[in-house]
Amino acid sequence: MTTTLPPAPGVPYFDWSSRYEGWTDHVLTAVREAAESDEFILKSRVAALEARVAERTGAAHAVAVASGTGALTVILAALGLGPGDEVVTPAFSFISTASTVALRGARPVFADVDYDTACLDLGAAEAAVTGNTRALLPAYLFTTHPDMAGLAELAGRRSLALVEDSAVGLGATVDGLPAGRHGTAGVFSFFPAKPIGGAGDAGMVVTDDDALARDVRMLRNHGQDLNVRFLHHKVGFNARMDEITAAFLLRRLPRLDEFLTVRRELAQEYNDRLAPLAPDLLTPPGGYGDRAVYTYVVRARRREELKEFLAGEGIETVVYYPKPLHLQPAFAHLGHQEGDFPVAERLARECLALPLHPGMRPGAVAQVADAIERFYRGAR
Ligand SMILES: Cc1ncc(COP(=O)(O)O)c(C=O)c1O
């Protein structure tokens, strides 16, 4: 007699209910608190969150905004970027690193990325600097970060602003300095999938520059004077954070290290299990000790087949990012073509994000690794 085992439960990718398990009451408390205090936008809870992030990063100023994209937007506006200006930024990244530049009327000048970190390559960045370059805008991606010390040296030598897109990097330490603290200004995102996700969109700017911080504060609120209502010094934006979001994030932030520890352990478990599959599958660079693990992204041969195979096993995966920025229709006017940034293009063909978040059920990483092993080794 044969017994049939019940099928293993699937492994969803975003899995919002597990990510936020136990947090529903905190969301409701945050709503009640804000409502009962009669404070809704840019009030005491937002100020408290700014103080906490400044404390955590050691930045002189933290300015809360409505999203990570909003953070980049107000920084680039505060720097006065406009038509004729160029910003060197990676060809492989989330759209915000380039779209926020283009929205200023400035030109995103793409540079290729490093194959192992998927982040802006220092040599390529230097080669892309021209007499019109005003800023470097590198991004942290997945579990990795660019060569921030090298980029800071380049920015200093060429008198460029360095805007650190550490949207996914809150809590990381790079070369002994917290993420966000390596350049003119840094940004964080609290999008729900990030290591500290909010109850919706939210972001933060950090900087040591007093004048920049003041301008960013104005720009997030229509360029309005910081004391006088309806007096507008600049043409600004509505990029304000609300009190409900801040109240919720004030409860989440103290758990950052705990969340990061679990994320690092899960990433290491994947690395340990999957490293032997090289060269069919390459794991992210190990040594997660001081890094912020956001998404766990492998480089896979036969990626589409692997993705489909895993889907058949109930394992959800996501492709970050299927098209490099220079080939996006939104940037067609820049006149790039295939072959311009070969590493970015290769990563767009190979990258695959596996499920990873602190609420994963025990055994889920092993289940994913077993399935990947079966795919490449052909054993069923
Ligand atoms: C590298 C990078 N930069 C910027 C952002 C923008 O953050 P937000 O979604 O909060 O606007 C993201 C978000 O996914 C990101 O991954």
Side-chain angles (χ1 to χ4, degrees):
M1 197 180 87
T2 53
T3 50
T4 322
L5 290 171
V11 186
Y13 185 84
F14 285 108
D15 200 7
W16 297 113
S17 52
S18 304
R19 280 180 196 244
Y20 279 89
E21 198 179 345
W23 287 93
T24 312
D25 284 346
H26 291 292
V27 175
L28 297 175
T29 309
V31 173
R32 194 174 310 112
E33 229 184 59
E36 288 173 356
S37 67
D38 218 18
E39 291 191 327
F40 288 98
I41 309 255
L42 293 187
K43 293 288 192 299
S44 59
R45 285 159 197 83
V46 171
L49 182 69
E50 290 177 338
R52 266 338 113 64
V53 173
E55 216 171 85
R56 165 89 206 199
T57 57
H61 307 277
V63 183
V65 287
S67 66
T69 306
L72 290 171
T73 302
V74 291
I75 293 169
L76 297 179
L79 291 173
L81 290 181
D85 294 332
E86 296 179 356
V87 176
V88 175
T89 192
F92 185 75
S93 175
F94 184 64
I95 187 77
S96 298
T97 50
S99 61
T100 52
V101 174
L103 283 169
R104 296 292 325 144
R107 183 183 177 91
V109 173
F110 296 119
D112 215 344
V113 293
D114 174 81
Y115 182 60
D116 290 323
T117 64
C119 293
L120 184 62
D121 179 83
L122 178 59
E126 174 144 24
V129 172
T130 72
N132 296 323
T133 308
R134 293 274 317 279
L136 306 177
L137 206 176
Y140 289 50
L141 277 198
F142 312 147
T143 64
T144 56
H145 53 78
D147 177 352
M148 290 313 305
L151 290 163
E153 188 279 328
L154 172 62
R157 180 158 43 83
R158 301 295 300 263
S159 303
L160 307 171
L162 175 58
V163 179
E164 190 176 358
D165 182 350
S166 41
V168 306
L170 183 59
T173 302
V174 178
D175 304 324
L177 256 187
R181 300 292 315 291
H182 294 256
T184 318
V187 312
F188 301 117
S189 165
F190 299 108
F191 176 76
K194 300 291 189 283
I196 286 290
D201 275 317
M204 190 73 68
V205 173
V206 287
T207 182
D208 288 343
D209 183 323
D210 299 342
L212 188 78
R214 186 204 56 219
D215 286 355
V216 157
R217 265 182 205 286
M218 286 196 273
L219 284 160
R220 74 174 167 180
N221 191 18
H222 300 292
Q224 183 173 275
D225 186 274
L226 298 179
N227 301 306
V228 182
R229 200 153 182 221
F230 301 135
L231 171 61
H232 301 272
H233 296 287
K234 293 170 182 295
V235 176
F237 309 88
N238 178 352
R240 302 177 300 220
M241 186 187 283
D242 65 72
E243 291 285 305
I244 295 171
T245 296
F248 183 67
L249 284 169
L250 280 166
R251 290 173 165 75
R252 295 274 282 177
L253 197 58
R255 306 279 298 276
L256 175 61
D257 288 319
E258 183 192 321
F259 293 155
L260 285 178
T261 299
V262 179
R263 284 173 170 272
R264 288 170 184 142
E265 285 167 3
L266 294 172
Q268 191 57 52
E269 187 183 344
Y270 269 131
N271 270 39
D272 292 345
R273 284 293 313 273
L274 300 175
L277 295 177
D280 286 324
L281 180 141
L282 299 175
T283 55
Y288 292 106
D290 288 333
R291 284 155 46 194
V293 170
Y294 164 48
T295 44
Y296 185 84
V297 174
V298 295
R299 291 152 291 170
R301 285 185 184 168
R302 297 160 56 209
R303 182 195 56 199
E304 296 307 316
E305 273 177 72
L306 172 63
K307 186 171 178 20
E308 216 169 286
F309 175 82
L310 292 175
E313 302 261 326
I315 296 165
E316 257 186 294
T317 56
V318 175
V319 173
Y320 292 79
Y321 297 99
K323 209 181 240 318
L325 294 176
H326 64 288
L327 299 179
Q328 290 286 354
F331 296 122
H333 61 283
L334 296 175
H336 287 294
Q337 53 197 2
E338 238 175 289
D340 282 358
F341 302 104
V343 182
E345 290 165 26
R346 183 174 176 196
L347 288 170
R349 286 191 300 272
E350 295 181 359
C351 276
L352 188 67
L354 309 180
L356 185 151
H357 64 85
M360 277 172 94
R361 80 181 143 72
V365 166
Q367 185 182 335
V368 177
D370 286 345
I372 295 175
E373 221 169 64
R374 281 199 300 280
F375 174 77
Y376 283 112
R377 301 232 157 112
R380 308 282 343 249

